[in-house]
Amino acid sequence: MSEQTRPSVTVTKDGPYVVTGIGELVLPDGSTGEAKPRMFLCRCGLSKNKPFCDGSHSREGWTG
Ligand code: FES
């Protein structure tokens, strides 16, 4: 397995979770979504495209 696809979750400063190398993304309704090699998942709760980050954290000045 290459370093690029090794499963990992990185918590970024004042931004999203960066998730890499997972096999499946399970959504709140139990369905599965396409797991891309690298995904940015909302950590602030402000995204209009949850569970994905849409950049709202930056526009709103969210910190955490
Ligand atoms: S972390 Fe980016 S919109 Fe929430």
Tab-separated table of all heavy atoms in Angstrom:
chain	number	residue	atom	x	y	z
A	1	MET	N	0.860	-1.179	0.000
A	1	MET	CA	0.000	0.000	0.000
A	1	MET	C	0.898	1.232	0.000
A	1	MET	O	1.829	1.348	0.782
A	1	MET	CB	-0.891	-0.046	1.243
A	1	MET	CG	-1.905	1.073	1.281
A	1	MET	SD	-3.044	0.941	2.699
A	1	MET	CE	-4.058	-0.411	2.187
A	2	SER	N	0.618	2.178	-0.871
A	2	SER	CA	1.478	3.358	-0.950
A	2	SER	C	1.172	4.321	0.188
A	2	SER	O	0.109	4.277	0.792
A	2	SER	CB	1.279	4.069	-2.285
A	2	SER	OG	0.048	4.749	-2.282
A	3	GLU	N	2.082	5.203	0.444
A	3	GLU	CA	1.902	6.209	1.493
A	3	GLU	C	0.676	7.072	1.208
A	3	GLU	O	-0.044	7.463	2.097
A	3	GLU	CB	3.166	7.077	1.580
A	3	GLU	CG	3.142	8.102	2.696
A	3	GLU	CD	3.187	7.482	4.077
A	3	GLU	OE1	3.715	6.355	4.198
A	3	GLU	OE2	2.703	8.104	5.023
A	4	GLN	N	0.425	7.319	-0.081
A	4	GLN	CA	-0.666	8.195	-0.476
A	4	GLN	C	-2.035	7.619	-0.138
A	4	GLN	O	-2.965	8.355	0.125
A	4	GLN	CB	-0.571	8.454	-1.975
A	4	GLN	CG	-1.421	9.607	-2.437
A	4	GLN	CD	-1.105	9.941	-3.867
A	4	GLN	OE1	-0.721	9.091	-4.649
A	4	GLN	NE2	-1.238	11.198	-4.212
A	5	THR	N	-2.169	6.286	-0.129
A	5	THR	CA	-3.468	5.690	0.125
A	5	THR	C	-3.579	5.096	1.530
A	5	THR	O	-4.591	4.503	1.858
A	5	THR	CB	-3.773	4.591	-0.909
A	5	THR	OG1	-2.772	3.599	-0.837
A	5	THR	CG2	-3.865	5.159	-2.307
A	6	ARG	N	-2.571	5.266	2.353
A	6	ARG	CA	-2.638	4.745	3.716
A	6	ARG	C	-3.789	5.436	4.449
A	6	ARG	O	-3.898	6.667	4.419
A	6	ARG	CB	-1.314	5.026	4.430
A	6	ARG	CG	-1.210	4.446	5.807
A	6	ARG	CD	0.208	4.600	6.343
A	6	ARG	NE	0.655	5.986	6.351
A	6	ARG	CZ	0.546	6.813	7.397
A	6	ARG	NH1	0.009	6.382	8.511
A	6	ARG	NH2	0.991	8.047	7.315
A	7	PRO	N	-4.690	4.689	5.080
A	7	PRO	CA	-5.811	5.324	5.767
A	7	PRO	C	-5.322	6.256	6.875
A	7	PRO	O	-4.501	5.869	7.712
A	7	PRO	CB	-6.584	4.149	6.370
A	7	PRO	CG	-6.170	2.963	5.573
A	7	PRO	CD	-4.756	3.232	5.164
A	8	SER	N	-5.824	7.485	6.851
A	8	SER	CA	-5.472	8.420	7.912
A	8	SER	C	-6.517	9.524	8.013
A	8	SER	O	-7.239	9.808	7.058
A	8	SER	CB	-4.095	9.044	7.659
A	8	SER	OG	-4.138	9.910	6.552
A	9	VAL	N	-6.593	10.122	9.188
A	9	VAL	CA	-7.428	11.299	9.426
A	9	VAL	C	-6.531	12.357	10.036
A	9	VAL	O	-5.875	12.111	11.046
A	9	VAL	CB	-8.599	10.992	10.389
A	9	VAL	CG1	-9.400	12.259	10.662
A	9	VAL	CG2	-9.491	9.899	9.829
A	10	THR	N	-6.493	13.506	9.389
A	10	THR	CA	-5.696	14.622	9.891
A	10	THR	C	-6.628	15.746	10.300
A	10	THR	O	-7.488	16.159	9.520
A	10	THR	CB	-4.726	15.130	8.800
A	10	THR	OG1	-3.899	14.056	8.387
A	10	THR	CG2	-3.883	16.278	9.314
A	11	VAL	N	-6.489	16.232	11.515
A	11	VAL	CA	-7.275	17.367	12.000
A	11	VAL	C	-6.480	18.627	11.678
A	11	VAL	O	-5.391	18.833	12.216
A	11	VAL	CB	-7.531	17.264	13.518
A	11	VAL	CG1	-8.381	18.432	13.998
A	11	VAL	CG2	-8.181	15.941	13.858
A	12	THR	N	-7.017	19.454	10.785
A	12	THR	CA	-6.289	20.663	10.400
A	12	THR	C	-6.614	21.804	11.352
A	12	THR	O	-7.683	21.830	11.962
A	12	THR	CB	-6.622	21.079	8.959
A	12	THR	OG1	-8.009	21.425	8.888
A	12	THR	CG2	-6.312	19.956	7.980
A	13	LYS	N	-5.701	22.748	11.460
A	13	LYS	CA	-5.926	23.911	12.324
A	13	LYS	C	-7.016	24.784	11.708
A	13	LYS	O	-6.910	25.208	10.573
A	13	LYS	CB	-4.625	24.707	12.475
A	13	LYS	CG	-4.780	25.940	13.343
A	13	LYS	CD	-3.459	26.593	13.603
A	13	LYS	CE	-3.532	27.901	14.359
A	13	LYS	NZ	-4.705	28.191	15.111
A	14	ASP	N	-8.068	25.012	12.457
A	14	ASP	CA	-9.180	25.889	12.034
A	14	ASP	C	-9.805	25.447	10.713
A	14	ASP	O	-10.300	26.289	9.949
A	14	ASP	CB	-8.701	27.345	11.909
A	14	ASP	CG	-8.080	27.876	13.179
A	14	ASP	OD1	-8.448	27.399	14.261
A	14	ASP	OD2	-7.230	28.775	13.087
A	15	GLY	N	-9.768	24.144	10.428
A	15	GLY	CA	-10.318	23.665	9.157
A	15	GLY	C	-10.833	22.253	9.256
A	15	GLY	O	-11.097	21.737	10.339
A	16	PRO	N	-10.994	21.611	8.111
A	16	PRO	CA	-11.649	20.302	8.047
A	16	PRO	C	-10.763	19.139	8.493
A	16	PRO	O	-9.559	19.300	8.710
A	16	PRO	CB	-11.969	20.170	6.552
A	16	PRO	CG	-10.873	20.916	5.886
A	16	PRO	CD	-10.575	22.085	6.786
A	17	TYR	N	-11.387	17.986	8.567
A	17	TYR	CA	-10.654	16.739	8.678
A	17	TYR	C	-10.205	16.367	7.264
A	17	TYR	O	-11.010	16.422	6.337
A	17	TYR	CB	-11.534	15.594	9.192
A	17	TYR	CG	-12.091	15.771	10.571
A	17	TYR	CD1	-13.443	16.039	10.771
A	17	TYR	CD2	-11.270	15.640	11.688
A	17	TYR	CE1	-13.966	16.184	12.042
A	17	TYR	CE2	-11.783	15.784	12.966
A	17	TYR	CZ	-13.126	16.057	13.140
A	17	TYR	OH	-13.637	16.191	14.393
A	18	VAL	N	-8.978	15.978	7.108
A	18	VAL	CA	-8.503	15.455	5.833
A	18	VAL	C	-8.426	13.945	5.993
A	18	VAL	O	-7.687	13.436	6.845
A	18	VAL	CB	-7.124	16.033	5.444
A	18	VAL	CG1	-6.685	15.471	4.096
A	18	VAL	CG2	-7.184	17.550	5.401
A	19	VAL	N	-9.245	13.252	5.218
A	19	VAL	CA	-9.373	11.795	5.333
A	19	VAL	C	-8.824	11.171	4.062
A	19	VAL	O	-9.249	11.520	2.957
A	19	VAL	CB	-10.849	11.393	5.535
A	19	VAL	CG1	-10.991	9.889	5.641
A	19	VAL	CG2	-11.427	12.082	6.767
A	20	THR	N	-7.902	10.246	4.211
A	20	THR	CA	-7.320	9.590	3.043
A	20	THR	C	-7.384	8.079	3.199
A	20	THR	O	-7.349	7.549	4.310
A	20	THR	CB	-5.836	9.976	2.842
A	20	THR	OG1	-5.099	9.542	3.968
A	20	THR	CG2	-5.676	11.477	2.651
A	21	GLY	N	-7.517	7.436	2.056
A	21	GLY	CA	-7.336	5.986	1.985
A	21	GLY	C	-8.394	5.142	2.648
A	21	GLY	O	-8.128	3.987	2.972
A	22	ILE	N	-9.607	5.684	2.826
A	22	ILE	CA	-10.651	4.841	3.422
A	22	ILE	C	-11.414	4.127	2.302
A	22	ILE	O	-11.439	4.577	1.165
A	22	ILE	CB	-11.630	5.640	4.308
A	22	ILE	CG1	-12.423	6.657	3.487
A	22	ILE	CG2	-10.873	6.294	5.459
A	22	ILE	CD1	-13.586	7.269	4.232
A	23	GLY	N	-12.050	3.027	2.646
A	23	GLY	CA	-12.734	2.238	1.635
A	23	GLY	C	-14.178	2.610	1.446
A	23	GLY	O	-14.760	2.339	0.393
A	24	GLU	N	-14.787	3.224	2.457
A	24	GLU	CA	-16.216	3.468	2.394
A	24	GLU	C	-16.560	4.684	3.246
A	24	GLU	O	-16.017	4.881	4.324
A	24	GLU	CB	-16.950	2.229	2.926
A	24	GLU	CG	-18.450	2.296	2.868
A	24	GLU	CD	-19.066	0.982	3.328
A	24	GLU	OE1	-19.029	0.687	4.532
A	24	GLU	OE2	-19.569	0.246	2.471
A	25	LEU	N	-17.497	5.491	2.754
A	25	LEU	CA	-18.004	6.639	3.499
A	25	LEU	C	-19.472	6.366	3.815
A	25	LEU	O	-20.299	6.249	2.909
A	25	LEU	CB	-17.876	7.917	2.659
A	25	LEU	CG	-18.435	9.194	3.277
A	25	LEU	CD1	-17.658	9.566	4.536
A	25	LEU	CD2	-18.401	10.325	2.271
A	26	VAL	N	-19.803	6.219	5.095
A	26	VAL	CA	-21.181	5.942	5.504
A	26	VAL	C	-21.829	7.258	5.907
A	26	VAL	O	-21.320	7.973	6.775
A	26	VAL	CB	-21.225	4.935	6.672
A	26	VAL	CG1	-22.668	4.659	7.082
A	26	VAL	CG2	-20.517	3.636	6.288
A	27	LEU	N	-22.968	7.550	5.275
A	27	LEU	CA	-23.672	8.806	5.500
A	27	LEU	C	-24.674	8.657	6.644
A	27	LEU	O	-24.992	7.536	7.054
A	27	LEU	CB	-24.361	9.221	4.194
A	27	LEU	CG	-23.395	9.420	3.022
A	27	LEU	CD1	-24.158	9.653	1.728
A	27	LEU	CD2	-22.435	10.568	3.299
A	28	PRO	N	-25.197	9.784	7.173
A	28	PRO	CA	-26.086	9.721	8.343
A	28	PRO	C	-27.325	8.845	8.148
A	28	PRO	O	-27.834	8.276	9.115
A	28	PRO	CB	-26.482	11.185	8.563
A	28	PRO	CG	-25.349	11.962	8.019
A	28	PRO	CD	-24.865	11.181	6.822
A	29	ASP	N	-27.797	8.710	6.904
A	29	ASP	CA	-28.981	7.872	6.686
A	29	ASP	C	-28.634	6.396	6.491
A	29	ASP	O	-29.488	5.572	6.199
A	29	ASP	CB	-29.781	8.391	5.488
A	29	ASP	CG	-29.026	8.248	4.159
A	29	ASP	OD1	-27.879	7.749	4.148
A	29	ASP	OD2	-29.600	8.649	3.128
A	30	GLY	N	-27.357	6.058	6.654
A	30	GLY	CA	-26.916	4.672	6.537
A	30	GLY	C	-26.477	4.280	5.147
A	30	GLY	O	-25.920	3.197	4.959
A	31	SER	N	-26.742	5.141	4.173
A	31	SER	CA	-26.289	4.840	2.813
A	31	SER	C	-24.779	5.071	2.723
A	31	SER	O	-24.176	5.686	3.606
A	31	SER	CB	-27.023	5.722	1.795
A	31	SER	OG	-26.668	7.074	1.972
A	32	THR	N	-24.207	4.558	1.651
A	32	THR	CA	-22.783	4.765	1.468
A	32	THR	C	-22.532	5.720	0.313
A	32	THR	O	-23.214	5.682	-0.707
A	32	THR	CB	-22.048	3.437	1.198
A	32	THR	OG1	-22.633	2.811	0.059
A	32	THR	CG2	-22.123	2.518	2.398
A	33	GLY	N	-21.576	6.595	0.506
A	33	GLY	CA	-21.188	7.535	-0.529
A	33	GLY	C	-19.844	7.133	-1.098
A	33	GLY	O	-19.131	6.285	-0.538
A	34	GLU	N	-19.501	7.745	-2.208
A	34	GLU	CA	-18.228	7.454	-2.856
A	34	GLU	C	-17.079	7.957	-1.976
A	34	GLU	O	-17.040	9.120	-1.603
A	34	GLU	CB	-18.158	8.135	-4.216
A	34	GLU	CG	-16.850	7.871	-4.937
A	34	GLU	CD	-16.737	8.657	-6.238
A	34	GLU	OE1	-17.667	9.398	-6.570
A	34	GLU	OE2	-15.707	8.524	-6.900
A	35	ALA	N	-16.178	7.053	-1.632
A	35	ALA	CA	-14.991	7.438	-0.864
A	35	ALA	C	-13.880	7.764	-1.847
A	35	ALA	O	-13.413	6.890	-2.571
A	35	ALA	CB	-14.577	6.323	0.078
A	36	LYS	N	-13.506	9.024	-1.906
A	36	LYS	CA	-12.426	9.429	-2.791
A	36	LYS	C	-11.093	9.229	-2.085
A	36	LYS	O	-11.052	9.124	-0.857
A	36	LYS	CB	-12.629	10.882	-3.197
A	36	LYS	CG	-13.939	11.046	-3.949
A	36	LYS	CD	-14.104	12.410	-4.508
A	36	LYS	CE	-15.381	12.398	-5.347
A	36	LYS	NZ	-15.857	13.686	-5.703
A	37	PRO	N	-9.998	9.157	-2.836
A	37	PRO	CA	-8.701	8.915	-2.209
A	37	PRO	C	-8.357	9.936	-1.119
A	37	PRO	O	-7.723	9.609	-0.126
A	37	PRO	CB	-7.721	9.019	-3.381
A	37	PRO	CG	-8.539	8.678	-4.581
A	37	PRO	CD	-9.921	9.212	-4.305
A	38	ARG	N	-8.822	11.185	-1.299
A	38	ARG	CA	-8.558	12.237	-0.316
A	38	ARG	C	-9.812	13.086	-0.210
A	38	ARG	O	-10.296	13.611	-1.211
A	38	ARG	CB	-7.374	13.089	-0.772
A	38	ARG	CG	-6.906	14.101	0.220
A	38	ARG	CD	-5.608	14.725	-0.295
A	38	ARG	NE	-4.993	15.548	0.690
A	38	ARG	CZ	-4.540	16.778	0.453
A	38	ARG	NH1	-4.630	17.292	-0.752
A	38	ARG	NH2	-3.991	17.465	1.410
A	39	MET	N	-10.339	13.204	1.012
A	39	MET	CA	-11.570	13.968	1.212
A	39	MET	C	-11.382	14.962	2.347
A	39	MET	O	-10.620	14.729	3.286
A	39	MET	CB	-12.721	13.029	1.569
A	39	MET	CG	-13.037	12.028	0.473
A	39	MET	SD	-14.457	10.996	0.867
A	39	MET	CE	-13.811	10.078	2.257
A	40	PHE	N	-12.128	16.072	2.253
A	40	PHE	CA	-12.108	17.103	3.278
A	40	PHE	C	-13.488	17.114	3.922
A	40	PHE	O	-14.468	17.466	3.270
A	40	PHE	CB	-11.794	18.469	2.655
A	40	PHE	CG	-10.452	18.506	1.984
A	40	PHE	CD1	-10.310	18.088	0.663
A	40	PHE	CD2	-9.337	18.915	2.682
A	40	PHE	CE1	-9.073	18.101	0.050
A	40	PHE	CE2	-8.089	18.934	2.069
A	40	PHE	CZ	-7.951	18.519	0.756
A	41	LEU	N	-13.566	16.707	5.173
A	41	LEU	CA	-14.850	16.597	5.863
A	41	LEU	C	-15.000	17.729	6.869
A	41	LEU	O	-14.068	18.041	7.625
A	41	LEU	CB	-14.955	15.243	6.568
A	41	LEU	CG	-14.847	14.020	5.648
A	41	LEU	CD1	-15.055	12.743	6.452
A	41	LEU	CD2	-15.849	14.081	4.499
A	42	CYS	N	-16.191	18.315	6.865
A	42	CYS	CA	-16.473	19.481	7.704
A	42	CYS	C	-16.314	19.151	9.183
A	42	CYS	O	-16.815	18.148	9.669
A	42	CYS	CB	-17.885	19.984	7.429
A	42	CYS	SG	-18.340	21.423	8.400
A	43	ARG	N	-15.640	20.034	9.874
A	43	ARG	CA	-15.437	19.910	11.310
A	43	ARG	C	-16.112	21.055	12.048
A	43	ARG	O	-16.303	21.007	13.259
A	43	ARG	CB	-13.924	19.892	11.585
A	43	ARG	CG	-13.518	19.505	12.977
A	43	ARG	CD	-12.052	19.161	13.014
A	43	ARG	NE	-11.162	20.282	12.889
A	43	ARG	CZ	-10.725	21.018	13.895
A	43	ARG	NH1	-11.118	20.756	15.116
A	43	ARG	NH2	-9.889	22.008	13.698
A	44	CYS	N	-16.510	22.098	11.330
A	44	CYS	CA	-17.045	23.290	11.984
A	44	CYS	C	-18.567	23.288	12.081
A	44	CYS	O	-19.137	24.042	12.864
A	44	CYS	CB	-16.585	24.538	11.233
A	44	CYS	SG	-17.382	24.773	9.622
A	45	GLY	N	-19.240	22.501	11.240
A	45	GLY	CA	-20.695	22.474	11.239
A	45	GLY	C	-21.343	23.524	10.350
A	45	GLY	O	-22.565	23.608	10.289
A	46	LEU	N	-20.574	24.327	9.655
A	46	LEU	CA	-21.117	25.428	8.857
A	46	LEU	C	-21.306	25.091	7.382
A	46	LEU	O	-21.944	25.855	6.653
A	46	LEU	CB	-20.199	26.658	8.972
A	46	LEU	CG	-20.023	27.217	10.385
A	46	LEU	CD1	-18.933	28.286	10.399
A	46	LEU	CD2	-21.330	27.782	10.898
A	47	SER	N	-20.765	23.973	6.926
A	47	SER	CA	-20.826	23.626	5.499
A	47	SER	C	-22.266	23.459	5.021
A	47	SER	O	-23.105	22.892	5.720
A	47	SER	CB	-20.054	22.331	5.247
A	47	SER	OG	-20.212	21.934	3.896
A	48	LYS	N	-22.531	23.925	3.813
A	48	LYS	CA	-23.840	23.712	3.181
A	48	LYS	C	-23.829	22.402	2.388
A	48	LYS	O	-24.823	22.058	1.761
A	48	LYS	CB	-24.158	24.871	2.220
A	48	LYS	CG	-24.103	26.245	2.855
A	48	LYS	CD	-25.390	26.594	3.545
A	48	LYS	CE	-25.449	28.034	4.008
A	48	LYS	NZ	-24.526	28.385	5.084
A	49	ASN	N	-22.710	21.692	2.409
A	49	ASN	CA	-22.552	20.449	1.659
A	49	ASN	C	-22.022	19.338	2.560
A	49	ASN	O	-21.114	18.600	2.206
A	49	ASN	CB	-21.608	20.681	0.472
A	49	ASN	CG	-21.558	19.492	-0.464
A	49	ASN	OD1	-22.541	18.788	-0.634
A	49	ASN	ND2	-20.402	19.269	-1.074
A	50	LYS	N	-22.577	19.236	3.777
A	50	LYS	CA	-22.114	18.220	4.718
A	50	LYS	C	-22.303	16.816	4.135
A	50	LYS	O	-23.272	16.600	3.427
A	50	LYS	CB	-22.882	18.337	6.041
A	50	LYS	CG	-22.597	19.613	6.781
A	50	LYS	CD	-23.345	19.613	8.096
A	50	LYS	CE	-23.255	20.932	8.804
A	50	LYS	NZ	-24.184	21.956	8.300
A	51	PRO	N	-21.396	15.927	4.394
A	51	PRO	CA	-20.329	15.998	5.367
A	51	PRO	C	-19.054	16.641	4.829
A	51	PRO	O	-18.035	16.648	5.513
A	51	PRO	CB	-20.077	14.521	5.720
A	51	PRO	CG	-20.329	13.822	4.418
A	51	PRO	CD	-21.497	14.579	3.793
A	52	PHE	N	-19.115	17.195	3.642
A	52	PHE	CA	-17.901	17.736	3.034
A	52	PHE	C	-17.702	19.207	3.406
A	52	PHE	O	-18.662	19.953	3.588
A	52	PHE	CB	-17.958	17.582	1.507
A	52	PHE	CG	-18.164	16.166	1.081
A	52	PHE	CD1	-19.405	15.723	0.672
A	52	PHE	CD2	-17.122	15.253	1.136
A	52	PHE	CE1	-19.613	14.403	0.309
A	52	PHE	CE2	-17.310	13.925	0.777
A	52	PHE	CZ	-18.563	13.499	0.364
A	53	CYS	N	-16.487	19.609	3.478
A	53	CYS	CA	-16.120	21.003	3.712
A	53	CYS	C	-16.388	21.798	2.427
A	53	CYS	O	-16.040	21.349	1.338
A	53	CYS	CB	-14.634	21.073	4.069
A	53	CYS	SG	-13.972	22.747	4.126
A	54	ASP	N	-17.023	22.957	2.570
A	54	ASP	CA	-17.240	23.830	1.409
A	54	ASP	C	-16.512	25.168	1.554
A	54	ASP	O	-16.779	26.100	0.792
A	54	ASP	CB	-18.730	24.049	1.159
A	54	ASP	CG	-19.398	24.899	2.234
A	54	ASP	OD1	-18.730	25.259	3.224
A	54	ASP	OD2	-20.596	25.205	2.076
A	55	GLY	N	-15.635	25.272	2.513
A	55	GLY	CA	-14.871	26.500	2.716
A	55	GLY	C	-15.537	27.494	3.654
A	55	GLY	O	-14.966	28.545	3.946
A	56	SER	N	-16.733	27.171	4.154
A	56	SER	CA	-17.444	28.100	5.050
A	56	SER	C	-16.640	28.412	6.303
A	56	SER	O	-16.728	29.521	6.838
A	56	SER	CB	-18.804	27.526	5.451
A	56	SER	OG	-19.664	27.451	4.346
A	57	HIS	N	-15.883	27.452	6.793
A	57	HIS	CA	-15.092	27.679	8.010
A	57	HIS	C	-14.191	28.897	7.847
A	57	HIS	O	-14.053	29.709	8.760
A	57	HIS	CB	-14.270	26.427	8.361
A	57	HIS	CG	-13.209	26.109	7.349
A	57	HIS	ND1	-13.450	25.341	6.240
A	57	HIS	CD2	-11.935	26.525	7.274
A	57	HIS	CE1	-12.337	25.251	5.514
A	57	HIS	NE2	-11.411	25.977	6.125
A	58	SER	N	-13.604	29.022	6.684
A	58	SER	CA	-12.687	30.137	6.417
A	58	SER	C	-13.461	31.451	6.255
A	58	SER	O	-13.097	32.472	6.840
A	58	SER	CB	-11.876	29.827	5.165
A	58	SER	OG	-10.984	30.870	4.880
A	59	ARG	N	-14.533	31.412	5.474
A	59	ARG	CA	-15.336	32.621	5.238
A	59	ARG	C	-15.919	33.163	6.547
A	59	ARG	O	-16.037	34.370	6.727
A	59	ARG	CB	-16.462	32.335	4.254
A	59	ARG	CG	-16.001	32.168	2.827
A	59	ARG	CD	-17.168	32.115	1.852
A	59	ARG	NE	-18.016	30.955	2.033
A	59	ARG	CZ	-17.761	29.765	1.496
A	59	ARG	NH1	-16.686	29.573	0.756
A	59	ARG	NH2	-18.579	28.757	1.705
A	60	GLU	N	-16.273	32.261	7.460
A	60	GLU	CA	-16.903	32.673	8.722
A	60	GLU	C	-15.888	32.918	9.834
A	60	GLU	O	-16.271	33.303	10.932
A	60	GLU	CB	-17.909	31.609	9.174
A	60	GLU	CG	-19.035	31.367	8.182
A	60	GLU	CD	-19.943	32.585	8.021
A	60	GLU	OE1	-20.104	33.346	8.990
A	60	GLU	OE2	-20.479	32.774	6.917
A	61	GLY	N	-14.629	32.658	9.566
A	61	GLY	CA	-13.595	32.887	10.573
A	61	GLY	C	-13.645	31.902	11.725
A	61	GLY	O	-13.216	32.210	12.832
A	62	TRP	N	-14.132	30.685	11.444
A	62	TRP	CA	-14.245	29.660	12.491
A	62	TRP	C	-12.858	29.257	12.975
A	62	TRP	O	-11.911	29.145	12.182
A	62	TRP	CB	-14.984	28.445	11.915
A	62	TRP	CG	-15.171	27.338	12.904
A	62	TRP	CD1	-16.125	27.257	13.884
A	62	TRP	CD2	-14.382	26.156	13.023
A	62	TRP	NE1	-15.980	26.096	14.590
A	62	TRP	CE2	-14.920	25.407	14.095
A	62	TRP	CE3	-13.279	25.663	12.344
A	62	TRP	CZ2	-14.382	24.192	14.486
A	62	TRP	CZ3	-12.749	24.455	12.740
A	62	TRP	CH2	-13.300	23.727	13.802
A	63	THR	N	-12.737	29.030	14.259
A	63	THR	CA	-11.489	28.512	14.824
A	63	THR	C	-11.814	27.292	15.668
A	63	THR	O	-12.879	27.207	16.275
A	63	THR	CB	-10.756	29.551	15.678
A	63	THR	OG1	-11.610	29.956	16.747
A	63	THR	CG2	-10.361	30.762	14.851
A	64	GLY	N	-10.892	26.391	15.681
A	64	GLY	CA	-11.121	25.206	16.507
A	64	GLY	C	-10.156	24.103	16.188
A	64	GLY	O	-9.390	24.135	15.283
B	1	FES	S1	-14.643	22.659	8.125
B	1	FES	FE1	-14.838	23.657	6.231
B	1	FES	S2	-16.918	24.176	6.101
B	1	FES	FE2	-16.734	23.179	8.019
